[in-house]
Amino acid sequence: MPDLAGQIRAAARELLAAGEVAAVLGFAPGPLPMTTRPFAARTPAEADRLTWNGFCVMNPANLLPEILAAVEPPRGPKDPPPEGPLPKVAVVATGCWSRNIVVQIQEGRVRRERLVILGIPSRGMIDRRKVLRRVGGREIRRVEEGAHELRVEGPGLHETIPRWEVVRDNCRTCVHPTPVVYDRLLAEPVERTGVDRYAQVAEIEAMTPEDRWAWFRREIAPCLRCYACRNVCPLCYCPTCFVDDSRPQWVGKSLDPADTALFHLLRAYHCAGRCTDCGACESACPMGIRLRLLTKKLEKDVLELFGTEAGLDPGAPLPLAAFRPDDPDEFLTAGPGGGAGPEGPPPREEEPA
Amino acid sequence: MEAVMTGTAPGQWEPRIVAFLCNWCSYAGADLAGVSRLAYPPSLRIVRVPCSGRVSAEMILDALKAGADGVLVSGCHPGDCHYLQGNLVARRRLSLLKRLLEFVGVEPGRVRLAWISASEGEQFAALAREVTEGVRALGPARRLAKTLPEVRHA
């Protein structure tokens, strides 16, 4: 296994020392085993704090616009932008994160020329919960990550866990592990094919509406409405989120199951055609709700109905901001006879182009 | 949305369907059905919107939360949109939302999209009948309705 942390540190030191970038956005070790926190190194010395391991589950694309704004020279709200190019920021990016950066470019949140993308073909990130379940919830003091195994240590605990078994669900079914845009690639590209990425969704789709409703109610029942899933998501950046709207109040503040259901449906729906299944929402959820099942369903439908996948092409329009005249419409309510009324649709002079 | 949902006699259940009708075609179509004195079920609560593209997922779910048994979104036929493409964008949005709602167990048939032009009074009446009967067969919507005790009058 290549020493990716070392490579990231070396690249960051080099870029910062050369003055090519104003900051390098990556990860630093977290306060507990199996945690990392996002970290922006601004000097070559700070670059030594950067790390890389299987617990980098947050999506750094979420912080990019903020950091890009922070490295700009300070100016008043009415001052013109400074002459010359604005400072650049380097960011580490796996496949899904790079696609999120593409979505941010599509949505005008960041400009490609201000980014230096350090591409990292992903081996899959680890689900802390799966590790904790494996060791029966015993205390973990130290985790060492090998090429294909995790050595977990704690009081009276010495276990070796096969890495792939504790990799997150979204990474296990990922088909784009290699970044789609990058300036430097820090490891060999990874190919992954023959994955049934919609198996989890298909399993639910096969149930009856009653069972699906029971599943949905059960799945979201533990939700605390902490909105960690929203805050960690690079797609959720509305100045006022729909959950905070009070007039009209789309979603009540209560823990009524209807309010929680509406929150989860709308949160997922707002990510439709934009979500790259990075799994940050699910990793951030303190209650272990499988939030990805809803976004994955939407991803599947967008691919089925409109034939597009999020974040593969910076020049393409977003699927829900576009249309084709021949979009599927068999879900339309058509009256008897296939038209809108008993006599069928009125004769139309010409088909709209 | 609560205001739209009032006005049903207690005791017997009648479907209550929130209909988002576009100002330029479907609302005029409903108007034509009215002035033509066509009979259709009184289950629709019509909300006039500038375009079917104006109807957001929030609005549809809000109607269901407020206790609507069904939601109908209706706009101009493809190619006839007053804003050229609003209905085509609405079609994409609605097709995804409908699939998502069905994925979590909302019965197919609660949320519908249809095209009605300003001259289709007959078709509007037929659509109202069809949607009402469809929703009646499904029974009252309970799944996304919020059933906390009423606090507004407390």
Side-chain angles (χ1 to χ4, degrees), chain A residues 201 204-205 209-210 212-213 215-216 242 249-252 254 256 258-259 261-262 265-266 269-270 272 293-294 297-298 301-302 304-306 319-320 322-336 340-344 346 348 352, chain B residues 56-59 61-62 65 72 77-80 84-85 88-108 111-117 119-120 122-124 126-127 129-131 142-148:
Chain A
V201 172
I204 295 163
E205 281 174 337
E210 285 68 33
R212 286 201 295 268
W213 177 248
W215 156 74
F216 181 56
F242 70 96
Q249 191 182 49
W250 303 117
V251 180
S254 73
D256 185 272
D259 286 331
L262 252 57
L265 289 172
L266 285 171
Y269 185 74
H270 287 177
L293 290 175
L294 295 178
K297 162 69 179 166
L298 286 161
D301 286 347
V302 168
E304 260 176 35
L305 295 168
F306 316 132
L320 283 195
F323 62 86
R324 278 205 319 265
D326 57 342
D327 274 332
D329 60 357
E330 65 283 347
F331 72 97
L332 280 172
T333 300
E343 300 86 32
R348 297 174 58 75
Chain B
S56 63
E58 282 89 339
M59 291 158 78
L61 288 176
D62 197 39
K65 183 178 84 166
L72 169 68
H77 287 275
D80 294 350
L84 304 180
Q85 42 177 261
L88 297 172
V89 174
R91 181 167 67 181
R92 280 205 165 186
R93 286 201 199 145
L94 258 286
S95 59
L96 274 185
L97 181 68
K98 201 167 140 58
R99 281 181 172 221
L100 179 67
L101 290 177
E102 287 165 18
F103 183 67
V104 300
V106 172
E107 304 91 336
V111 177
R112 303 228 192 178
L113 177 66
W115 307 136
I116 293 286
S117 82
S119 62
E120 293 177 330
E122 288 268 3
Q123 284 85 346
F124 180 81
L127 175 71
R129 280 193 289 273
E130 192 204 325
V131 171
R142 303 238 184 273
R143 296 204 167 155
L144 289 174
K146 190 168 169 180
T147 48
L148 280 186

Side-chain angles (χ1 to χ4, degrees), chain A residues 6-350:
Chain A
Q7 292 210 39
I8 292 169
R9 279 195 284 266
R13 264 196 305 272
E14 183 201 322
L15 287 166
L16 287 165
E20 216 174 303
V21 298
V24 178
L25 179 58
F27 292 87
L32 296 168
M34 303 197 285
T35 61
T36 56
R37 52 167 59 136
F39 174 66
R42 290 183 178 234
T43 61
E46 279 182 345
D48 287 337
R49 286 181 58 192
L50 289 167
T51 187
W52 183 259
N53 56 42
F55 301 102
C56 299
V57 289
M58 268 192 69
N59 189 334
N62 189 25
L63 303 166
L64 260 190
E66 215 176 308
I67 288 179
L68 282 166
V71 297
E72 284 176 23
R75 65 175 203 262
K78 288 188 179 164
D79 294 347
E83 300 271 319
L86 289 164
K88 290 185 178 190
V89 166
V91 58
V92 296
T94 62
C96 47
W97 301 346
S98 76
R99 289 168 63 205
N100 273 124
I101 293 169
V102 169
V103 172
Q104 306 244 23
I105 294 168
Q106 285 175 313
E107 295 179 355
R109 292 266 289 165
V110 301
R111 297 212 318 272
R112 178 69 181 92
E113 58 271 22
R114 288 193 66 193
L115 300 177
V116 175
I117 301 172
L118 305 174
I120 301 175
S122 172
R123 304 172 58 237
M125 296 296 169
I126 295 163
D127 184 344
R128 279 176 62 233
R129 285 168 200 283
K130 285 191 184 174
V131 179
L132 285 169
R133 268 201 299 275
R134 276 291 287 238
V135 301
R138 281 178 292 172
E139 190 188 346
I140 296 173
R141 293 259 172 95
R142 211 173 110 81
V143 174
E144 217 176 294
E145 198 179 339
H148 296 290
E149 71 290 320
L150 286 186
R151 280 180 297 281
V152 182
E153 286 171 29
L157 174 69
H158 295 276
E159 253 186 74
T160 304
I161 300 172
R163 191 178 185 278
W164 189 246
E165 284 183 21
V166 289
V167 162
R168 297 187 299 175
D169 291 344
N170 59 318
C171 300
R172 289 171 69 98
T173 55
C174 175
V175 293
H176 300 289
T178 303
V180 294
V181 285
Y182 56 82
D183 296 293
R184 299 181 186 192
L185 203 57
L186 301 185
E188 287 300 305
V190 182
E191 279 284 328
R192 205 173 294 137
T193 48
V195 183
D196 183 6
R197 49 178 161 162
Y198 299 123
Q200 268 184 314
V201 172
E203 200 180 298
I204 295 163
E205 281 174 337
M207 301 197 277
T208 63
E210 285 68 33
D211 289 348
R212 286 201 295 268
W213 177 248
W215 156 74
F216 181 56
R217 284 294 292 270
R218 228 182 15 254
E219 193 70 49
I220 62 166
C223 179
L224 307 165
R225 301 276 293 282
C226 67
Y227 304 140
C229 48
R230 175 196 70 177
N231 295 348
V232 81
C233 180
L235 307 173
C236 286
Y237 56 76
C238 291
T240 305
C241 178
F242 70 96
V243 297
D244 300 322
D245 271 336
S246 55
R247 226 182 257 186
Q249 191 182 49
W250 303 117
V251 180
K253 303 288 180 192
S254 73
L255 280 180
D256 185 272
D259 286 331
T260 306
L262 252 57
F263 165 64
H264 283 282
L265 289 172
L266 285 171
R267 185 200 72 84
Y269 185 74
H270 287 177
C271 302
R274 308 160 67 217
C275 177
T276 63
D277 202 23
C278 75
C281 48
E282 208 167 276
S283 294
C285 180
M287 305 308 288
I289 297 170
R290 292 180 297 166
L291 293 145
R292 275 184 48 252
L293 290 175
L294 295 178
T295 45
K296 197 75 183 166
K297 162 69 179 166
L298 286 161
E299 182 196 313
K300 176 173 184 265
D301 286 347
V302 168
L303 185 60
E304 260 176 35
L305 295 168
F306 316 132
T308 57
E309 274 186 86
L312 293 183
D313 177 6
L318 289 156
L320 283 195
F323 62 86
R324 278 205 319 265
D326 57 342
D327 274 332
D329 60 357
E330 65 283 347
F331 72 97
L332 280 172
T333 300
E343 300 86 32
R348 297 174 58 75
E349 281 171 10
E350 55 178 26

